[in-house]
Amino acid sequence: MRVFIALLAAKLVRLLLRLTHRGGTALPGKVALKICPDLLSRLARDVSTVIVTGTNGKTTSCRIAEQLFAEAGIPYFANRGGANLKQGITTEFAMNANLFGRPKRQYAVIECDEAAMVQVCPEVKPKVILMTNVFSDQLDRFGDVLTTLDAIRRGMDASPDSVLCLNADCSLSASLHEKLKNKVVFYGVECPVYKEQVQENSDAPRCLRCGTEYEYSLRTYGHLGHFRCPQCGYERPHAHVAVTEIPYQGADSTRVMLRLGDVTVPAEIAVPGGYNIYNAAGAAAVGMALELDEPAILSALANFHCGFGRMEEMELNGVSARMILVKNPTGCNQALNFLANTEGDALFVVALNDRVGDGTDISWIYDADFEKLLCLGERLKGIYCVGDRGADMAVRLKYAGFPLQKLRVFGDYGSLIDALSAQSAPVVMMPTYSAMMDLRGALAQRFGLKEFWE
Ligand SMILES: [Zn+2]
């Protein structure tokens, strides 16, 4: 009876939000959990779930994992709206169940916030957990990264039957398997991911066990790579799934050689960007963990569609545009690496806010290496700054050495969109989270883009 009332309440709240054109995804779950506190575990019992967690790349990895099910013809559901805490996840399970708690689809792909893993995993008991990586967000201290890592570990520990897909190149993620009994599929990259190798500061340079500085035989980006501690011997584990070669990196896609267990095959990845090579390898590991066959894994990588704000493509009056969400220096540097390697003309937009969802301290823009874009020279048609702190962004770029005539600050999104539509160079927009909401709202008003929660 409790389950029935909780589900009825959740569905009514959702309907009400929809009728009033609000996209709230946490509230229905919140109400339902008040009525029936163990609702999530009851609903998840009969669903085989893939949970995706980690600092960067969750959304793109979820989209590829969804495509694994789509290619295999398996009906599934997913929390696409970005509500990745327990309440939002409960909403998703509730919407996929009938009023008696029976699931309408038996498979799910669920993005889960790192800190929420402790609450979500023991209830959902996922079949597979994919962890992308752990980086320090904004100005978090290293101690916070260890707290995050521990929250993820405790979540995994509470679900010992879950197969873990761990990034072998991330010294923090890879360390988890030593403390857990779960079965592990390691994935990684065994070649450089950028043509122009840029040395970045590592946010995790020292051995987790003994504090000695790691040695690297290969560094891909951030602290990711083939690490080894010269003191205690802690090193990158062997990867079961690995990208061994990258023959082609284009503006729209990437071609790689992919090792799946014992075989190495050519694979096409439907998105550009070195960091997406990791997302693809991670999702391929999920495919292995689900025991899907090789053709299904390869077509998922080639055919998936990018998530909201993750290299999402759109057209503004005939001008091609992409949106890349930036939320921390590591993520931003990967976007900049990708942009520095593009061919042809380019125009960039940086939309910077400092509201709660963005992180209120914007000094991270000085840690991100915008100087990388200087190599574009004449091909760079401009960098437009917008958002609550757009003017600060322009100052940052001025210090980077960009010519002043290429920098413009816009006070509102309407005039920015006018300026973008009036020129012809392909546009790449890099907003922080709340700026992405504003920018997308303005674009939707002008060009009628789909509302993001649909
Ligand atoms: Zn060590």
Side-chain angles (χ1 to χ4, degrees), residues 82-408:
N84 60 9
L85 302 177
K86 186 180 174 187
Q87 296 169 347
I89 291 169
T90 304
T91 301
E92 216 57 64
F93 276 91
M95 294 310 129
N96 183 64
N98 67 18
L99 285 171
F100 305 100
R102 277 270 173 75
K104 296 174 190 164
R105 281 157 291 190
Q106 268 72 42
Y107 290 82
V109 177
I110 297 296
E111 174 182 323
C112 182
D113 178 80
E114 302 88 282
M117 286 289 281
V118 184
Q119 294 107 45
V120 173
C121 282
E123 308 222 14
V124 172
K125 298 232 182 316
K127 200 172 166 69
V128 179
I129 301 173
L130 167 60
M131 179 174 167
T132 57
N133 49 51
V134 192
F135 286 109
S136 36
D137 247 340
Q138 285 151 11
L139 295 175
D140 294 348
R141 294 284 155 254
F142 189 60
D144 298 331
V145 179
L146 295 182
T147 309
T148 304
L149 194 64
D150 197 56
I152 295 173
R153 184 194 58 76
R154 284 189 289 142
M156 291 170 167
D157 199 27
S159 185
D161 293 330
S162 306
V163 180
L164 311 180
C165 298
L166 299 179
N167 188 338
D169 296 355
C170 172
S171 52
L172 300 167
S173 312
S175 72
L176 288 175
H177 93 112
E178 299 179 345
K179 298 170 189 145
L180 295 165
K181 290 180 214 71
N182 307 55
K183 200 177 154 219
V184 176
V185 179
F186 279 111
Y187 65 91
V189 175
E190 301 182 350
C191 56
V193 298
Y194 294 106
K195 279 178 276 176
E196 303 218 2
Q197 195 58 32
V198 196
Q199 256 333 310
E200 292 156 14
N201 289 335
S202 170
D203 59 342
R206 292 183 181 282
C207 177
L208 269 182
R209 285 189 198 156
C210 72
T212 310
E213 198 162 324
Y214 291 121
E215 288 169 352
Y216 282 86
S217 55
L218 170 76
R219 267 280 287 277
T220 49
Y221 72 85
H223 67 258
L224 303 186
H226 296 211
F227 61 89
R228 185 177 186 282
C229 170
Q231 182 66 34
C232 73
Y234 172 49
E235 62 182 341
R236 174 195 191 258
H238 171 74
H240 309 96
V241 173
V243 167
T244 56
E245 255 182 87
I246 308 170
Y248 171 79
Q249 284 187 280
D252 299 310
S253 67
T254 311
R255 277 203 294 275
V256 301
M257 294 303 289
L258 181 66
R259 190 174 70 231
L260 295 166
D262 304 328
V263 293
T264 301
V265 289
E268 174 108 18
I269 304 171
V271 283
Y275 53 99
N276 281 322
I277 291 172
Y278 274 102
N279 296 332
V286 172
M288 293 277 280
L290 291 171
E291 294 173 1
L292 296 177
D293 60 4
E294 187 191 297
I297 295 174
L298 294 180
S299 34
L301 297 182
N303 297 329
F304 79 96
H305 297 286
C306 247
F308 172 52
R310 276 81 180 176
M311 291 279 185
E312 182 187 30
E313 285 180 275
M314 57 197 84
E315 221 188 73
L316 318 173
N317 259 353
V319 176
S320 86
R322 280 180 183 278
M323 181 122 63
I324 309 175
L325 173 69
V326 293
K327 50 179 186 176
N328 50 38
T330 310
C332 188
N333 278 334
Q334 296 334 300
L336 295 169
N337 269 336
F338 162 66
L339 298 173
N341 279 292
T342 52
E343 289 172 11
D345 292 346
L347 190 144
F348 302 122
V349 173
V350 186
L352 181 65
N353 279 358
D354 59 354
R355 299 176 205 165
V356 175
D358 310 293
T360 51
D361 185 338
I362 59 157
S363 59
W364 66 269
I365 61 175
Y366 285 87
D367 293 333
D369 200 359
F370 286 95
E371 286 78 0
K372 283 174 183 167
L373 299 180
L374 287 167
C375 72
L376 292 173
E378 280 310 301
R379 292 193 285 123
L380 176 67
K381 296 304 167 197
I383 306 183
Y384 294 177
C385 303
V386 68
D388 301 344
R389 304 297 293 268
D392 299 84
M393 191 62 227
V395 172
R396 163 73 184 92
L397 295 169
K398 193 184 123 206
Y399 283 128
F402 291 99
L404 285 181
Q405 68 271 19
K406 292 197 176 176
L407 302 178
R408 287 178 69 181

